[in-house]
Amino acid sequence: MDTEPAKGKLRRLNLTMFFPLLFVGGVIVVASDARTWWHAAVLSAGVLAAMVAFVRWAAGEVLRVAIPCLVVAAAVWPFSVLVPGGSSSFFGVFLVGSLVVPQLPRHRIAAAVALVAYIAAVGALRPLVSYEDVSGELVSFVFVPAALTAVVLGLMFPNKRFYDVVKELEESREREAELAVIRERVRFASDLHDIQGHTLHVVKLKAALARKLVDIDAERAKQELGEIHALVADTITQTKELAYAQRRLNLSAELENARNLFEAAGIRVRVNREADVDPAAGRLLGQVLRETTTNILRHAQATRVRITLSEWSISIVNDGAQRAPLPELRGLAALEQRVVADGGELTVEQEDGQFVTAATFPAREGR
C-alpha cells in the first residue's frame, strides 16, 4: 500500500521535472548576459539564489530563505541592467519572487504589484547607460520582464490554493486515521473489560461458593474449583483471540454463557424469542447481553432474569435492583456509546425493584 503523502509526491515531481529545466535556463541566462568572468560570477549568484528558493519551495519551506534569496536576486538585476546590459538576468528575482509572494500570510497582492513594479523600474534604468534604440530597450528590459513576471505570478496564486487544498486533505486524512486508532483502542479496551470483568465476577462467586462447600461437601467444592479453572483457561483463550483480532461475539454463545453464569449464581433465567434474530444483529445484541450480565452479577441481588429477543432488539429484565435512584454505571455508559455508534438506542430503566436494559437498532430495521 502506497503511504507517501500526496503533497510529498507533488514536491518530488516538481524537483524531478522542473529543477533541471530551471537550472539549464539559469545557465543560459548567465552565458548570454555575461561579458566577463566576473560578470558571470555575479549573475550566477542570482541563479543560485533562484535554485535555492525553488528547492525550499518544493519542500514547503521557501519563506525560511525568502529574505536572503530575494536580496541577492534583487541586487543582481540592476547590476545586469547597468553593467553588462543583459535583459535576461531578471530570471533570479522573477523566479524567487514568484515562489515567495504567493506563500506570504498576508498582503500578497501588494507584494505582487511591488515585485512587478521593481522589475519594471530597474529595467527602465537601461536608457541611462545605453544610447541605442530606446523603445527597443524598454521592450527588452521593462515590458517583457514585467509582463512575464505578472503572468507567472497570476498562475502561481491558483497553484498555492491547490497546494493548500492538498494539505487540508492530508491533514483531514491524518485526523481520520488518528480517530480510527482511538476508536480501535476504545473498542479493544471495552472488549477486554467485557472478557476480564465478566470472568472475575463469576470467579469471585464460585470461589466464595467453593469456600463454603470445602468443609461440608468436598466433591462439590472440587467441582466448583474445576469450573473456575476451566473458566480462567477459556478467558485466557478469549484474550489471546482478542489480541490477534480473532474474537467475534456470537449471540447464541452469549446466551448460553449468560444462562450458565446466572444459574451458577442461583438466578433463574427465562428466554423469550419473539422473532428470529437477524444474523447481522448477533454481534450487536451479544455485546448488550454480555455487559448486562456482568452488571447484574456485580450490582444486583437478582433471583430472576428474563431475556426477550426480537429481530433487531433485546431486552433484559432482572429483579433485585436497589430501590434507589438509578446508579451511574460506567460500563453501561460505554455500552451506550457503542450502541449509538452502530445506529441503535439503549434504554435503561429502574422501577419497583426491577432493572430493565433494552437495546434496539431501528436504523437497521426494514433492510
Side-chain angles (χ1 to χ4, degrees):
M1 182 177 180
D2 188 3
T3 58
E4 184 181 1
K7 195 169 183 179
K9 291 181 180 180
L10 289 173
R11 290 169 179 168
R12 186 161 54 84
L13 183 63
N14 282 329
L15 283 175
T16 302
M17 292 185 59
F18 296 112
F19 183 84
L21 295 176
L22 293 175
F23 181 78
V24 171
V27 171
I28 293 174
V29 166
V30 173
S32 63
D33 286 358
R35 303 292 179 263
T36 65
W37 67 267
W38 68 275
H39 290 171
V42 174
L43 298 181
S44 295
V47 173
L48 179 62
M51 295 298 99
V52 170
F54 179 78
V55 171
R56 301 320 301 164
W57 172 81
E61 300 174 346
V62 69
L63 293 181
R64 293 187 178 184
V65 297
I67 293 177
C69 289
L70 276 173
V71 169
V72 172
V76 168
W77 175 227
F79 168 82
S80 179
V81 170
L82 298 174
V83 181
S87 62
S88 302
S89 293
F90 76 97
F91 171 84
V93 66
F94 144 78
L95 182 57
V96 175
S98 298
L99 297 175
V100 170
V101 168
Q103 304 295 326
L104 295 176
R106 54 184 182 274
H107 306 310
R108 290 189 291 269
I109 300 300
V113 172
L115 176 65
V116 174
Y118 172 79
I119 290 176
V122 170
L125 297 176
R126 181 59 187 170
L128 298 179
V129 295
S130 173
Y131 301 101
E132 299 178 6
D133 179 26
V134 174
S135 61
E137 296 285 76
L138 289 177
V139 170
S140 298
F141 285 87
V142 178
F143 297 113
V144 170
L148 187 57
T149 302
V151 169
V152 172
L153 276 173
L155 295 175
M156 290 298 289
F157 276 101
N159 180 274
K160 168 65 166 55
R161 178 56 186 163
F162 172 74
Y163 271 90
D164 287 343
V165 171
V166 172
K167 182 179 179 181
E168 291 172 3
L169 290 175
E170 285 186 1
E171 291 175 349
S172 176
R173 186 173 63 181
E174 290 173 358
R175 286 193 295 269
E176 286 295 325
E178 291 174 358
L179 287 174
V181 171
I182 292 172
R183 285 194 294 267
E184 180 60 21
R185 287 175 178 172
V186 171
R187 184 203 64 78
F188 183 88
S190 180
D191 286 349
L192 186 61
H193 167 269
D194 287 347
I195 294 172
Q196 303 288 5
H198 203 68
T199 300
L200 289 174
H201 286 290
V202 177
V203 167
K204 179 182 177 182
L205 290 170
K206 287 185 170 293
L209 179 58
R211 183 178 180 182
K212 292 178 182 179
L213 294 172
V214 71
D215 293 326
I216 59 176
D217 191 344
E219 289 301 319
R220 177 69 187 282
K222 288 180 181 179
Q223 180 183 345
E224 292 296 332
L225 291 173
E227 291 181 3
I228 290 173
H229 181 273
L231 184 60
V232 171
D234 182 62
T235 301
I236 292 173
T237 300
Q238 290 187 56
T239 303
K240 288 181 179 179
E241 290 175 351
L242 176 63
Y244 290 98
Q246 296 174 339
R247 177 175 175 265
R248 296 292 184 269
L249 283 175
N250 178 279
L251 180 59
S252 297
E254 291 303 320
L255 275 171
E256 185 63 25
N257 184 54
R259 189 194 303 272
N260 293 336
L261 293 175
F262 287 139
E263 289 177 352
I267 302 172
R268 287 178 292 175
V269 186
R270 187 175 70 189
V271 178
N272 298 328
R273 295 180 179 269
E274 297 179 348
D276 291 335
V277 176
D278 191 292
R283 179 185 65 84
L284 303 172
L285 301 184
Q287 286 182 343
V288 176
L289 179 58
R290 175 177 281 271
E291 179 63 34
T292 304
T293 301
T294 300
N295 285 333
I296 292 172
L297 293 173
R298 178 189 294 179
H299 300 290
Q301 304 297 320
T303 60
R304 296 187 303 274
V305 173
R306 184 175 71 253
I307 302 170
T308 304
L309 294 167
S310 65
E311 186 178 11
W312 282 100
S313 67
I314 187 171
S315 172
I316 303 103
V317 182
N318 64 276
D319 65 354
Q322 300 177 5
R323 295 182 180 273
L326 190 67
E328 181 180 354
L329 302 176
R330 286 178 293 182
L332 283 179
L335 178 63
E336 183 178 16
Q337 292 179 356
R338 280 185 282 171
V339 170
V340 171
D342 282 314
E345 298 175 1
L346 182 71
T347 303
V348 178
E349 298 177 347
Q350 179 176 294
E351 185 177 355
D352 296 332
Q354 287 194 328
F355 198 97
V356 180
T357 305
T360 183
F361 296 87
R364 298 175 181 252
E365 292 179 354
R367 290 186 180 184

